[in-house]
Amino acid sequence: MNDQAYVRFHNIVKKFGTVVANDSIDLDVQRGEILAILGENGSGKSTLMNMLSGIYMPDSGSITIDGKPAVIRSPKDSIKLGIGMIHQHFKLIDRFTGYQNIMTGITSNTLGYKKSVKKITELMDKYELHIDLDKYVYDMSVGEKQTLEIIKVMFRGAEVLILDEPTAVLTPEEITKLFVILRNMRKAGHAIIIITHKLNEVMEISDRVTVLRKGKNVGTLNTNQTNILELTELMVGRPMEPIIRRVECEPGDVYLSVEDVTAYNHEGIKVLDNISFELSSHEIVGVAGVAGSGQRELCEVIAGLYPVKKGSVSCMNQEIVGKTPGEIIKMGVSMSFIPEDRLGMGLVSSMDITDNMLLKTYRDGKGLFINRNPAREMARNIVKKMDIVTPGISTPVSKLSGGNIQKVLLGREIESNPKVLVTAYAVRGLDIGASYTIYDMLNKQKEKGVAVLYIGEDLDTLIQLCDRIIVMFSGKIAGIVDARNATKEQLGLMMTGKVMMYV
Amino acid sequence: MYRIAQKTGVSNKRAALYRLIGIIGALVVSSIFILIAKKNPLQVYTSMINGAFGSYHRIRSIIIKAIPLAITSFGISVAFKLRFWNIGGEGQIMMGAFGAAWVALSFPDLSKPLLLLIMALTGFVFGGLYALIPAFFKGKFNTNETLFTLMMNYIAIKWVTYLQYNAWKDPSGMGFPKIADFSQNAWLPQVFGIHIGWIVTLVLAVVMHIFIKHSKKGYEISVVGESVNTARYAGMNYKKIMLQALFLSGGLCGLAGMIQASGVGRTLSVTTSAGAGFTAIIIAWLSRLSMPVMVVVAFLFGAMVQGGVYIETAYQIPQAVTSIIQGMILFFVLGTEFFIRYKIVPIKKEQEQGGKE
């Protein structure tokens, strides 16, 4: 136990029904320290922090702040105790300026605009947090929004700063900036907790790291005395190679060719600008880019779900542009698309696994009625093959966990033996174990000769898994690089449009 | 503080108990109004049951009341399955009845089977087309179907009013504003003393149930209702599916209108729909869109109305009081459905039972 602890969790237990989210957790963080909380999805990280920010109350156990027992009943109590939480999804008002957002909810401010701005500016200078206070939030980049969130909680007098997955939406450059800010705050004597599942960030920024697994604290280590391998093992519970395997194959024929595709959204804004690339058999091509750079639209264009202004997409030498998804299916184009929105597009959430198997094949067979027997067979098969954890094949897919939902979707699509497989954020929200299962499946498809397009978020994954990486920047292709000699920094610069390059 | 959470795994036995408690609660509260009307509640209730089920004649009346409710519920639930909130059953019934009446009045001498068949078809098509209008605009301009269908009710009702008071007013009606009765050929035949609408209802319940659960079209409707994006992803033309489903939805309501005009009213009048289009919404929801259940619920609804009519005459109770009793029963039954599907948990306890992380 650390005697200088500023915030201390003692024996915290939190249950949801029969699920124990936090099982007697002890944890402490002191001033001038960055503590990383590492754990997979569902390991209890957010639950634990939500007890500090007043969203939940512990069932038993105690929290002390600065040596005094703290009872945090609401976010208001939490703010009063000097705790500031930066959520993964920002709590900002789009139609307000930076200044207005900072002031929202502060009722006791009597300074007036000028003095308040002066106070905020002092704060910004102190920690090198720089944003334009009069800019509207809807005009801000993700990085600026996050900075604004930090200023907001600092202005409210936060001594403890909690950041929930702060780097998930940032470019490498923005991450570097964020880390500079965090180091400044550490120097100024704040206690900082960062929740993450990215190991290299833990190594880079934290002083100590607490690993949670299945609601238990499985170890608190000094960062400079540990390594990625040890942390992975603690987090997953078994030894695990932290490197994703890339299957080396000789690329075959071109299966998908996209030429000069330009598309506009319904507001008339260009979302895809002259996109051209080819995708071959035995190949995984990654797509990197800041969120909203046109990745989603690109996938939907290929699947026939998005209107194309000009250009051509040909899959197995058949032109797709101008065809509806129904027509594409009828043409017999052997393509599968795993959409980003699994339950809202890829599956029907209230239907069971069997009925979801039918989604693209219900037309098969003669007559007006559906024959469910092949679908039941297929559902049983997929559940077995993919190790899907479910009470049965007649369980609605909405009741399954994220990883299992993704397995149902991927299973169905792979079962149709596609030649081209387009996946959008296939591992989003999945824990390490489930993610690796998905990577393995994609590699198997590649070995079989399938051409895979992998839209991804995590640059490490893209570099390790893919053969080539297409980097998108505001609807354009900023470059296509060979993943074998790509670096994160290079990709990061391309993602922000600072460098364009072609291989 | 309290919050509402969804309940799972309520056994049928427990649900039945809840419903029973609900109905008892309704009867207890209604007693107050019966006492105000200076009558004995127990006596009133027993004769309400007696009035509903006491004789073959009374049960027959229930069935006659239940037929349009059930068929309209089938129709409306097709649209509801698609999450298209068709509040326009009333208007679609009227337009169906109008179509049937037009045929009946134009060709009074056609042979009975042929005439009835054409009337049924026309009723179906008229009701279906009437429902296609809001569906078309929803597909084209994404208009709000709830308001659209609701407003279309009034147009249909006023159209029939115009026919009854002006264009089609029976010259031999001695100035009484009514449309001439259909010829006997246009009357639905009777089986066991009830017009054959009851057979149509039972057949439709089975057919529609199979259609929704096992046909390709039914599957498409369920998928579109759940998520338009998923439907597009699966290669379905969701606008076409919406139009087809709404034609079927309105068509069934129109058929109910034809049955009412031909089997009960013997002509078209402003009272042909008699609120069935609205009552059917409640029935469809109470039955959770299951067609066989709708038959049962429609029958119970009919019984409630029939019992009310009986006590009005037997006890000289004002109609307002029976309306209150019926409203109470409905209120409590719908209320218990809430408690069967949801639970109320105190905020403090909620933390143990609420969401995940």
Side-chain angles (χ1 to χ4, degrees):
Chain A
M1 273 285 150
N2 191 330
D3 284 324
Q4 302 132 18
Y6 186 66
V7 178
R8 167 166 291 159
F9 285 81
H10 182 60
N11 218 1
I12 292 288
V13 178
K14 179 77 200 162
K15 288 182 199 154
F16 294 110
T18 53
V19 180
V20 184
N22 286 157
D23 191 355
S24 7
I25 291 188
D26 285 317
L27 183 142
D28 59 79
V29 56
Q30 43 185 301
R31 284 177 170 279
E33 177 187 54
I34 299 178
L35 174 76
I37 299 184
L38 185 67
E40 296 205 279
N41 295 319
S43 58
K45 298 170 294 195
S46 301
T47 308
L48 190 65
M49 287 305 116
N50 278 333
M51 281 187 265
L52 204 51
S53 65
I55 292 173
Y56 298 138
M57 277 185 77
D59 296 342
S60 67
S62 61
I63 300 173
T64 53
I65 291 173
D66 208 6
K68 293 185 278 286
V71 183
I72 309 167
R73 282 203 188 79
S74 69
K76 227 182 210 168
D77 291 354
S78 166
I79 292 168
K80 261 189 220 146
L81 287 162
I83 294 159
M85 177 131 180
I86 313 289
H87 293 270
Q88 205 174 345
H89 305 284
F90 303 138
K91 316 276 184 208
L92 296 170
I93 300 164
D94 265 0
R95 297 227 153 253
F96 277 13
T97 61
Y99 172 78
Q100 287 168 331
N101 265 290
I102 293 167
M103 289 303 163
T104 304
I106 300 179
T107 46
S108 56
N109 183 42
T110 47
L111 291 175
Y113 179 75
K114 267 199 183 151
K115 279 188 185 157
S116 302
V117 168
K118 205 177 147 225
K119 216 176 139 192
I120 297 169
T121 315
E122 280 169 20
L123 196 81
M124 292 202 293
D125 290 341
K126 188 172 167 196
Y127 300 107
E128 288 180 50
L129 295 156
H130 290 295
I131 58 153
D132 178 359
L133 287 177
D134 294 322
K135 198 171 177 178
Y136 284 92
V137 170
Y138 58 76
D139 281 332
M140 289 188 184
S141 71
V142 179
E144 285 176 299
K145 285 182 195 169
Q146 191 172 54
T147 311
L148 175 59
E149 280 275 23
I150 297 174
I151 298 171
K152 203 172 90 182
V153 299
M154 296 310 288
F155 187 73
R156 285 165 165 74
E159 291 296 325
V160 183
L161 195 68
I162 309 162
L163 300 107
D164 190 358
E165 304 268 358
T167 60
V169 287
L170 301 184
T171 62
E173 215 179 330
E174 287 170 324
I175 293 174
T176 314
K177 262 192 215 158
L178 172 70
F179 285 179
V180 170
I181 294 168
L182 294 183
R183 290 198 184 98
N184 283 333
M185 297 176 73
R186 171 170 62 187
K187 218 188 296 165
H190 293 285
I192 297 163
I193 301 174
I194 159 168
I195 303 174
T196 183
H197 61 250
K198 291 186 185 164
L199 293 155
N200 43 12
E201 286 169 6
V202 172
M203 299 306 292
E204 191 183 335
I205 187 80
S206 70
D207 299 303
R208 285 190 305 145
V209 47
T210 292
V211 185
L212 299 188
R213 186 172 75 232
K214 291 181 180 158
K216 286 201 176 84
N217 181 346
V218 289
T220 299
L221 307 159
N222 287 325
T223 309
N224 55 19
Q225 287 162 8
T226 184
N227 56 52
I228 288 189
L229 263 167
E230 188 186 10
L231 289 177
T232 318
E233 197 176 327
L234 268 177
M235 177 162 76
V236 184
R238 60 193 147 93
M240 199 157 194
E241 190 67 34
I243 301 289
I244 301 157
R245 191 170 60 105
R246 174 169 34 223
V247 178
E248 297 298 340
C249 292
E250 197 58 40
D253 299 338
V254 172
Y255 276 3
L256 178 80
S257 124
V258 176
E259 269 172 62
D260 296 331
V261 166
T262 298
Y264 293 82
N265 68 8
H266 62 272
E267 283 165 7
I269 295 163
K270 207 185 254 186
V271 286
L272 291 177
D273 191 352
N274 264 314
I275 301 284
S276 300
F277 66 91
E278 284 181 340
L279 179 63
S280 309
S281 169
H282 290 298
E283 192 182 34
I284 299 182
V285 171
V287 177
V290 181
S293 299
Q295 300 99 313
R296 205 194 75 228
E297 289 82 0
L298 177 63
C299 291
E300 294 192 359
V301 161
I302 296 171
L305 291 161
Y306 208 88
V308 176
K309 184 86 180 173
K310 77 173 189 52
S312 100
V313 176
S314 78
C315 179
M316 308 302 294
N317 294 321
Q318 280 179 294
E319 180 60 45
I320 293 172
V321 167
K323 303 273 194 306
T324 65
E327 286 163 346
I328 294 172
I329 291 171
K330 262 190 216 138
M331 279 158 61
V333 173
S334 179
M335 177 178 52
S336 279
F337 170 40
I338 312 290
E340 179 181 351
D341 187 357
R342 291 158 206 160
L343 287 179
M345 187 180 255
L347 299 166
V348 185
S349 60
S350 69
M351 289 187 181
D352 62 15
I353 300 178
T354 306
D355 275 14
N356 270 294
M357 292 298 127
L358 286 167
L359 198 60
K360 282 176 171 172
T361 53
Y362 74 96
R363 297 178 191 84
D364 299 355
K366 281 185 186 144
L368 295 170
F369 296 100
I370 291 176
N371 181 4
R372 277 190 169 76
N373 288 331
R376 270 188 212 109
E377 191 62 29
M378 186 173 156
R380 266 186 225 113
N381 247 327
I382 285 176
V383 168
K384 213 164 75 194
K385 237 198 261 176
M386 305 254 176
D387 283 323
I388 295 170
V389 183
T390 168
I393 56 168
S394 43
T395 305
V397 289
S398 59
K399 294 265 193 300
L400 304 180
S401 75
N404 286 308
I405 289 172
Q406 184 68 321
K407 283 182 190 169
V408 171
L409 178 53
L410 251 171
R412 183 187 71 204
E413 293 305 314
I414 288 175
E415 203 70 6
S416 69
N417 286 316
K419 291 270 192 270
V420 175
L421 181 62
V422 179
T423 66
Y425 308 110
V427 299
R428 178 181 282 173
L430 306 192
D431 58 38
I432 293 199
S435 300
Y436 274 65
T437 316
I438 306 285
Y439 301 142
D440 277 346
M441 283 197 273
L442 296 179
N443 272 326
K444 272 195 198 115
Q445 292 300 304
K446 175 183 169 183
E447 276 175 310
K448 262 179 65 188
V450 177
V452 182
L453 190 68
Y454 177 88
I455 318 291
E457 281 168 315
D458 186 38
L459 295 179
D460 291 304
T461 307
L462 284 161
I463 290 171
Q464 290 165 19
L465 177 73
C466 302
D467 296 295
R468 290 183 295 144
I469 300 169
I470 298 171
V471 184
M472 295 191 71
F473 166 67
S474 73
K476 292 194 241 339
I477 289 187
I480 302 179
V481 297
D482 189 332
R484 285 168 193 83
N485 33 32
T487 65
K488 265 167 59 175
E489 290 65 34
Q490 177 198 10
L491 293 177
L493 288 173
M494 290 164 74
M495 279 161 70
T496 46
K498 298 213 167 72
V499 176
M500 308 281 258
M501 76 180 291
Y502 291 87
V503 174
Chain B
M1 289 293 282
Y2 294 90
R3 76 185 261 283
I4 292 158
Q6 225 165 17
K7 230 189 233 180
T8 43
V10 177
S11 68
N12 286 338
K13 234 179 177 175
R14 232 196 142 77
L17 179 74
Y18 278 28
R19 291 196 179 100
L20 190 71
I21 294 171
I23 290 174
I24 292 170
L27 297 180
V28 170
V29 177
S30 303
S31 307
I32 300 167
F33 295 95
I34 299 172
L35 288 170
I36 291 171
K38 297 201 173 67
K39 299 283 187 281
N40 178 345
L42 275 179
Q43 266 179 13
V44 169
Y45 290 144
T46 38
S47 40
M48 208 171 156
I49 291 169
N50 182 32
F53 304 104
S55 69
Y56 179 66
H57 170 77
R58 288 170 193 164
I59 292 175
R60 208 174 60 181
S61 311
I62 295 177
I63 295 172
I64 291 171
K65 289 189 174 71
I67 290 165
L69 295 177
I71 297 178
T72 311
S73 311
F74 301 158
I76 278 177
S77 7
V78 173
F80 280 8
K81 196 83 195 158
L82 197 84
R83 307 254 167 104
F84 184 107
W85 308 118
N86 179 9
I87 312 297
E90 198 77 359
Q92 290 143 22
I93 292 172
M94 277 302 194
M95 289 318 260
F98 158 66
W102 188 35
V103 174
L105 296 172
S106 308
F107 311 101
D109 301 324
L110 271 181
S111 74
K112 194 176 184 93
L114 189 64
L115 182 58
L116 285 173
L117 198 66
I118 299 175
M119 281 168 68
L121 268 177
T122 316
F124 189 94
V125 171
F126 272 48
L129 289 177
Y130 205 61
L132 269 190
I133 302 170
F136 170 79
F137 280 96
K138 172 141 178 135
K140 199 89 186 157
F141 306 111
N142 198 22
T143 51
N144 178 318
E145 75 275 14
T146 317
L147 289 172
F148 207 130
T149 50
L150 182 68
M151 293 306 162
M152 300 246 326
N153 286 336
Y154 302 113
I155 299 176
I157 292 167
K158 291 299 161 197
W159 167 241
V160 173
T161 312
Y162 162 74
L163 292 176
Q164 186 177 337
Y165 285 80
N166 296 284
W168 284 4
K169 188 169 152 186
D170 188 1
S172 55
M174 295 180 295
F176 195 70
K178 78 178 287 294
I179 297 169
D181 280 355
F182 296 168
S183 71
Q184 288 221 10
N185 286 352
W187 295 7
L188 280 179
Q190 300 201 332
V191 176
F192 302 130
I194 308 166
H195 67 80
I196 57 160
W198 69 272
I199 299 174
V200 177
T201 306
L202 294 179
V203 171
L204 275 177
V206 176
V207 170
M208 289 305 296
H209 182 73
I210 294 172
F211 170 79
I212 291 288
K213 293 272 177 210
H214 299 286
S215 78
K216 292 177 180 175
K217 194 53 71 187
Y219 180 77
E220 285 180 341
I221 290 173
S222 308
V223 173
V224 173
E226 185 74 35
S227 155
V228 169
N229 270 333
T230 307
R232 289 180 58 220
Y233 169 80
M236 297 173 188
N237 183 343
Y238 77 94
K239 284 183 187 169
K240 197 173 120 195
I241 294 166
M242 180 168 78
L243 291 176
Q244 290 167 335
L246 260 290
F247 184 73
L248 178 59
S249 172
L252 287 169
C253 296
L255 183 65
M258 174 267 170
I259 289 173
Q260 280 314 91
S262 161
V264 181
R266 308 276 191 243
T267 186
L268 173 69
S269 90
V270 285
T271 55
T272 299
S273 59
F278 294 123
T279 312
I281 297 169
I282 303 170
I283 295 175
W285 268 130
L286 274 175
S287 319
R288 300 200 195 181
L289 305 189
S290 159
M291 314 279 171
V293 179
M294 277 173 223
V295 177
V296 178
V297 177
F299 180 81
L300 293 177
F301 246 90
M304 190 174 80
V305 175
Q306 173 61 23
V309 172
Y310 179 78
I311 55 167
E312 271 169 36
T313 43
Y315 287 85
Q316 300 290 306
I317 288 174
Q319 202 205 338
V321 174
T322 55
S323 292
I324 287 173
I325 298 173
Q326 286 164 0
M328 279 298 164
I329 293 175
L330 209 54
F331 179 81
F332 274 82
V333 168
L334 288 170
T336 43
E337 288 308 307
F338 173 84
F339 285 101
I340 289 168
R341 292 179 208 191
Y342 302 96
K343 59 186 168 190
I344 293 178
V345 280
I347 283 284
K348 224 183 140 190
K349 249 184 112 189
E350 169 250 334
Q351 292 168 356
E352 292 173 68
Q353 297 171 335
K356 288 176 212 150
E357 256 197 298

